[in-house]
Amino acid sequence: MSMSRPVSRRDFMKTAAMAAATAAAAGDAGATLSSGGNSLKWDKAPCRFCGTGCHVMVGVEKDKVVAIAGDQAADVNKGLLCVKGYHVGSILYGEDRLRQPMVRRGGRLVPTSWDDAIDLLARRIMAAPERFALYGSGQWTIPEGYACQKLMKGGLSNNNIDPNARLCMASAVTGFLATYGVDEPAGCYDDLDACDVLITWGNNPAEMHPVLFSRVVDRRLRGEEVLLIDISTRRTRTSDQSQEYLEMKPHGDVAIALGIAHLLIKNDTYSHEFVEKHCAFRAQGGTPQLRGEPIPFEEYKQSLEPYTPEYVAELSGVPAAKIRMLADLFGRDDLRITSLWCMGMNQHTMGTAINCLVHGVHLLSGHFGKPGDAPTSLTGQPSACGTVREVGTLAHALPGGRVVANPEHRKQAEQFWNLPEGRINEKPGRHTVSMWDSFCSPDGDIDTIWVQVTNPGQTLPNLNKLFERKRGMEDKFLVVSEVYPTATTELADLVLPAAMWVEKNGIFGNSERRTQQWFRMVSPPGEARDDCWMTIAVAHRLYELGHEGMKDKDGNFIFEIRDENGRVVPVWDFERYYDVNVDKALFEEYRQFTRLKHKDLAPYEEYVEARGLRWPVVQQDDGSWRETRFRFSAFDDPYVSNGEEFEFYHSNTGDGRAQVWFYDYEPPAEQPDGEYPLWLTTGRVLEHWHTGTMTRRVPQLNRAMPKAYVELHPEDAKELGVRSGEPVIVESRRGQTTLPAWVGGRGRPPKGTVFVPFFDETKLINKVTLEAHDPFSKQPDYKKSAVRVRRAQDNP
């Protein structure tokens, strides 16, 4: 039983005042509460962490965030936040915030001026533009990512720009593209309120997306019947809430999806009407390619023939009876079934395949396009969808679903950007693994990388190969825009202190196609500045140095921004950056790109007033703007043709049909053997987000989970002679790290499997992981490495 001090009347009144402020602010962005001579101002913002996109109310007093509340006016979270969300304001105030630019001299980072830092980077680019790369993330705001796109592809004619989202959701992208011809989920979070069955495919939303998961748990607490099925390689808190836990072998999800499809055909319980009207069939031909080749239904049916429940049980480890149970559920048209997935299906050498196969199960069974019937991928970063996938900050992409290899797409982008014809390079740049391999190779063709809003020194797979090799390479130059010291800044040659979250204006796009806007509320510390300003300032310095790519076809600076009176504002000068709303100017320019793939966005001011809007957002006859909850469904999507119930209007076959794919099961790239007998899988924990750069600076979160660990099955621990808390070495063919053992902890791996979270920069588990990746998405498989574990005291 915990004891607390008595609450004084003063404390009670202060708490009551804060509660009143919270209630007022929850319904009124921009509300102000005066108390005790001070003024607490509240405004809205999306949370800085995961892709759920919860809205928070931010309380500011004396230029500091002093309070956080869940936004009761927001549909996403309805006033609720997770433990990280309630502490999001504290991420701004770690004692070791980076406050001034620093350059490495004599092996040490020493202070420099902003002018010198911008000049140094610009001259480095100017000397060899083709050897420069830009690496960002799904934490870029939409304007930040758009500015980087324009600088690289529109200015430098250089496609070597890629995000860390390549490591987390690229396979979801290729799955959507291969199935529907266009990216991102058709459904939305409303499906969680309507489904009868929720299947989690290798993910753990109870801890990774807890606000979303709570929507389903709350329904059950209210007496609603919702069947939860967790398909996973280890027991988690999601498993504990599920009526069915199906423990699979690594890569078993591919076999399971094939087994469900086999039985839907075999038992004749697939949706004949939906398939005949809305589906076509596809498989890989002689030369693997994302869009494959068409096959007739009979060939698809024949290809599935080997995947009997018994054979699937052998491949997956899930009993045949449970495969039949899944197929029986999908075969019922009186149920609504939602599938959720995240890293388990995406970080996978068959990531594109398993994404396509799960989409295929939903299409084949007709569990698609109605509230509660949806195959939905979730994202781990706040704007992996809005910035990476929609703005297209990938080595092969252009904004709005375009690609650099398509001549018409290049022409459209050049017209929107007012560039000379031929400015945009048709050759895709290097994807993440290839980019860092080239940078860390003495003869690689990339010698300068600028990193923004991410920490590759901790997140890349096989760190010894893809990052640590940079040490001692004097001809390689690493620039890092960051808020705190990280594993990446440790090797940086130039460090640029960045503003974060509500220290700047911003726009995110979450996992349900919801675009969310906020304004700057507090000042950044010291000399820290906006990432978007840095990009524009470097571009302008290149313009001053005479780089022709920084001019449009009329000779004007490519980031020329004018005020309401038509005067050019020198936004490259930080003292003038906030004289005009740069975010609004860039967003309105970007909106032109969004209509090609029916990802229409409303004007900027509409997002100022809303708690986000789900695209396509289409203007109505009365001038208002309407969001779309369910794409491709006539009852909600304005782009579905009259008379159609469903229409996949970006179909790869050009006939309005979605593609149901067949892929054969393939084994993982690496499997345990006599030398490395255990499976390693990695992931996150509830208390920390990604590499812990922000959350480990929050005392309450860091105390709750102070360090990483390795989960061991009790029998494996016994064989090793290890008890909880004792240090062990986890080692693969690529590297090793030392961690405390945790036996019988929060997660329970099966015998022969270990789990390690990656949030702890003092225990870099990604020195152990392998970089084998999906052939289409180029996304690495962090979930299946072969390792051995030994007691640290036995280390020779």
Side-chain angles (χ1 to χ4, degrees):
M1 179 178 177
S2 63
M3 301 292 291
S4 59
R5 65 180 177 86
V7 178
S8 67
R9 184 175 183 275
R10 177 187 176 90
D11 288 340
F12 175 79
M13 293 300 291
K14 186 176 180 180
T15 302
M18 185 61 72
T22 300
D28 183 12
T32 300
L33 179 86
S34 297
S35 175
N38 295 320
S39 182
L40 189 65
K41 180 176 174 56
W42 293 86
D43 210 342
K44 69 177 177 77
C47 180
R48 177 56 181 79
F49 296 126
C50 78
T52 300
C54 294
H55 276 266
V56 300
M57 296 304 299
V58 182
V60 173
E61 185 177 71
K62 296 180 179 179
D63 201 30
K64 184 175 182 178
V65 174
V66 297
I68 293 292
D71 188 345
Q72 295 178 27
D75 289 338
V76 171
N77 53 310
K78 306 179 191 304
L80 181 66
L81 298 172
C82 76
V83 65
K84 293 186 293 294
Y86 283 117
H87 290 95
V88 66
S90 298
I91 66 175
L92 303 175
Y93 302 116
E95 293 180 358
D96 56 344
R97 274 293 295 267
L98 297 172
R99 289 173 165 81
Q100 61 187 132
M102 293 181 288
V103 64
R104 191 171 297 279
R105 294 196 180 107
R108 295 174 56 247
L109 287 171
V110 297
T112 190
S113 69
W114 268 111
D115 285 347
D116 286 349
I118 295 297
D119 182 68
L120 176 61
L121 175 52
R123 289 183 182 277
R124 183 87 189 183
I125 298 169
M126 190 76 178
E130 75 284 356
R131 300 180 68 85
F132 172 65
L134 208 162
Y135 187 67
S137 82
Q139 299 163 66
W140 264 326
T141 67
I142 288 174
E144 287 168 355
Y146 180 74
C148 288
Q149 272 281 66
K150 192 173 183 181
L151 168 66
M152 293 295 289
K153 292 170 181 167
L156 297 176
S157 302
N158 179 342
N159 294 330
N160 286 323
I161 174 174
D162 218 46
N164 72 351
R166 178 76 70 176
L167 309 176
C168 63
M169 54 90 239
S171 295
V173 174
T174 49
F176 281 111
L177 290 173
T179 303
Y180 309 107
V182 67
D183 185 26
E184 295 196 48
C188 61
Y189 298 161
D190 296 21
D191 291 309
L192 300 174
D193 304 326
C195 64
D196 301 300
V197 181
L198 176 65
I199 305 174
T200 56
W201 292 79
N203 59 322
N204 178 17
E207 294 185 83
M208 304 307 108
H209 297 87
V211 171
L212 293 182
F213 193 68
S214 71
R215 292 169 78 145
V216 180
V217 174
D218 286 351
R219 290 177 59 201
R220 289 169 56 182
L221 291 174
R222 294 195 300 267
E224 294 184 45
E225 291 188 11
V226 187
L227 175 61
L228 270 62
I229 302 172
D230 183 37
I231 305 172
S232 185
T233 56
R234 72 189 245 276
R235 282 188 175 270
T236 65
R237 287 180 172 177
T238 300
S239 318
D240 294 341
Q241 292 286 341
S242 300
Q243 294 98 319
E244 294 282 352
Y245 168 61
L246 309 183
E247 190 168 276
M248 67 175 178
K249 298 176 184 178
H251 250 48
D253 45 6
V254 175
I256 293 167
L258 288 165
I260 296 169
H262 166 91
L263 286 172
L264 287 171
I265 302 293
K266 200 76 172 175
N267 298 337
D268 199 29
T269 51
Y270 71 95
S271 175
H272 287 253
E273 181 182 6
F274 192 90
V275 168
E276 288 167 8
K277 287 184 177 180
H278 307 296
C279 297
F281 295 86
R282 224 158 182 85
Q284 289 299 332
T287 303
Q289 52 186 333
L290 180 60
R291 285 180 167 79
E293 297 179 359
I295 59 172
F297 174 74
E298 285 303 317
E299 183 177 336
Y300 172 78
K301 177 180 177 181
Q302 188 62 36
S303 299
L304 288 170
E305 196 63 32
Y307 290 94
T308 64
E310 290 71 26
Y311 181 52
V312 169
E314 180 184 330
L315 293 174
S316 69
V318 174
K322 298 300 183 181
I323 305 300
R324 292 188 174 93
M325 174 200 71
L326 290 169
D328 288 347
L329 290 170
F330 273 103
R332 290 176 57 180
D333 59 12
D334 62 326
L335 296 175
R336 299 287 175 93
I337 302 177
T338 292
S339 289
L340 290 182
W341 65 90
C342 199
M343 297 306 102
M345 275 175 46
N346 293 342
Q347 292 176 337
H348 199 305
T349 52
M350 292 192 71
T352 300
I354 182 55
N355 272 264
C356 288
L357 291 171
V358 172
H359 286 300
V361 166
H362 275 266
L363 293 167
L364 195 64
S365 61
H367 285 287
F368 184 93
K370 302 177 289 293
D373 268 335
T376 299
S377 71
L378 300 176
T379 51
Q381 298 185 87
S383 201
C385 288
T387 305
V388 173
R389 297 164 76 163
E390 294 159 27
V391 176
T393 57
L394 295 144
H396 67 282
L398 288 167
R402 294 167 178 82
V403 293
V404 298
N406 185 312
E408 185 60 29
H409 290 177
R410 294 196 305 275
K411 181 179 180 181
Q412 291 166 3
E414 288 164 352
Q415 289 173 343
F416 288 142
W417 286 336
N418 193 35
L419 302 176
E421 186 176 346
R423 172 74 64 81
I424 297 173
N425 191 336
E426 66 180 351
K427 181 181 178 182
R430 289 186 178 273
H431 61 83
T432 294
V433 171
S434 176
M435 176 187 292
W436 286 96
D437 189 32
S438 176
F439 181 66
C440 290
S441 299
D443 58 350
D445 60 11
I446 292 175
D447 57 25
T448 300
I449 291 186
W450 186 3
V451 174
Q452 293 187 359
V453 290
T454 187
N455 185 12
Q458 191 167 338
T459 57
L460 288 167
N462 196 357
L463 281 169
N464 287 328
K465 176 183 178 183
L466 297 181
F467 188 76
E468 293 292 333
R469 280 193 301 161
K470 193 267 180 193
R471 291 183 189 273
M473 291 186 176
E474 294 185 2
D475 61 329
K476 302 290 184 174
F477 197 79
L478 178 61
V479 184
V480 182
S481 300
E482 251 299 356
V483 294
Y484 289 110
T486 65
T488 307
T489 63
E490 183 179 331
L491 294 191
D493 300 287
L494 181 63
V495 175
L496 306 176
M500 174 167 52
W501 195 41
V502 295
E503 295 170 348
K504 59 187 179 182
N505 291 342
I507 309 170
F508 282 159
N510 79 347
S511 291
E512 64 165 351
R513 297 174 281 107
R514 184 184 295 271
T515 308
Q516 306 159 297
Q517 178 275 346
W518 76 95
F519 287 120
R520 179 176 64 159
M521 302 178 203
V522 296
S523 304
E527 298 178 44
R529 297 182 179 180
D530 301 37
D531 291 282
C532 195
W533 171 82
M534 296 182 209
T535 301
I536 294 172
V538 168
H540 194 264
R541 185 63 186 128
L542 286 166
Y543 175 82
E544 292 173 333
L545 292 171
H547 194 295
E548 287 299 313
M550 297 304 112
K551 300 176 183 178
D552 65 17
K553 67 182 182 182
D554 298 324
N556 298 318
F557 179 44
I558 60 172
F559 289 107
E560 183 176 275
I561 293 175
R562 297 177 180 269
D563 65 17
E564 58 186 14
N565 296 314
R567 293 187 294 261
V568 175
V569 180
V571 294
W572 53 88
D573 176 357
F574 192 65
E575 295 301 316
R576 302 291 306 278
Y577 185 71
Y578 277 96
D579 286 2
V580 65
N581 189 335
V582 175
D583 267 29
K584 179 178 179 179
L586 294 175
F587 184 80
E588 291 297 343
E589 182 180 297
Y590 162 60
R591 281 183 62 219
Q592 303 172 93
F593 286 88
T594 63
R595 300 183 187 97
L596 176 71
K597 298 290 186 179
H598 300 92
K599 300 182 179 186
D600 310 38
L601 297 177
Y604 180 88
E605 294 300 332
E606 295 296 318
Y607 298 97
V608 173
E609 299 300 322
R611 266 40 173 207
L613 295 169
R614 289 167 286 196
W615 58 258
V617 187
V618 178
Q619 192 167 28
Q620 305 300 289
D621 292 340
D622 63 1
S624 64
W625 293 83
R626 178 188 180 276
E627 68 172 358
T628 302
R629 295 180 303 153
F630 300 95
R631 294 167 79 198
F632 312 131
S633 300
F635 74 90
D636 197 50
D637 187 339
Y639 286 115
V640 173
S641 301
N642 289 337
E644 297 287 345
E645 184 179 6
F646 302 99
E647 184 182 19
F648 301 101
Y649 41 74
H650 287 293
S651 169
N652 290 318
T653 44
D655 56 3
R657 293 175 179 268
Q659 311 303 303
V660 178
W661 279 82
F662 174 79
Y663 276 93
D664 251 328
Y665 172 87
E666 297 174 8
E670 183 173 79
Q671 300 185 66
D673 55 23
E675 189 175 4
Y676 296 93
L678 302 172
W679 285 110
L680 164 69
T681 187
T682 65
R684 286 176 24 205
V685 295
L686 173 66
E687 295 83 358
H688 289 293
W689 190 75
H690 281 209
T691 63
T693 303
M694 295 178 286
T695 51
R696 293 189 76 203
R697 267 79 180 183
V698 178
Q700 297 90 333
L701 298 176
N702 201 46
R703 284 196 299 268
M705 184 60 70
K707 57 188 176 183
Y709 52 85
V710 54
E711 290 177 357
L712 290 166
H713 188 275
E715 291 183 30
D716 290 326
K718 184 177 180 180
E719 290 177 9
L720 292 165
V722 172
R723 297 180 180 178
S724 275
E726 292 182 347
V728 298
I729 295 171
V730 179
E731 183 180 17
S732 72
R733 291 173 174 85
R734 295 158 293 281
Q736 65 179 44
T737 190
T738 302
L739 303 122
W742 197 1
V743 184
R746 182 183 297 176
R748 283 92 70 200
K751 186 176 181 346
T753 294
V754 299
F755 169 85
V756 178
F758 68 92
F759 70 85
D760 190 343
E761 67 180 16
T762 70
K763 298 170 175 59
L764 294 176
I765 191 58
N766 281 324
K767 290 185 175 181
V768 180
T769 52
L770 80 164
E771 74 274 24
H773 50 270
D774 178 90
F776 306 108
S777 69
K778 313 302 181 187
Q779 180 167 352
D781 192 334
Y782 290 86
K783 304 300 184 184
K784 309 172 197 74
S785 300
V787 300
R788 60 190 176 203
V789 176
R790 65 179 188 275
R791 299 190 305 171
Q793 67 188 61
D794 297 335
N795 194 32

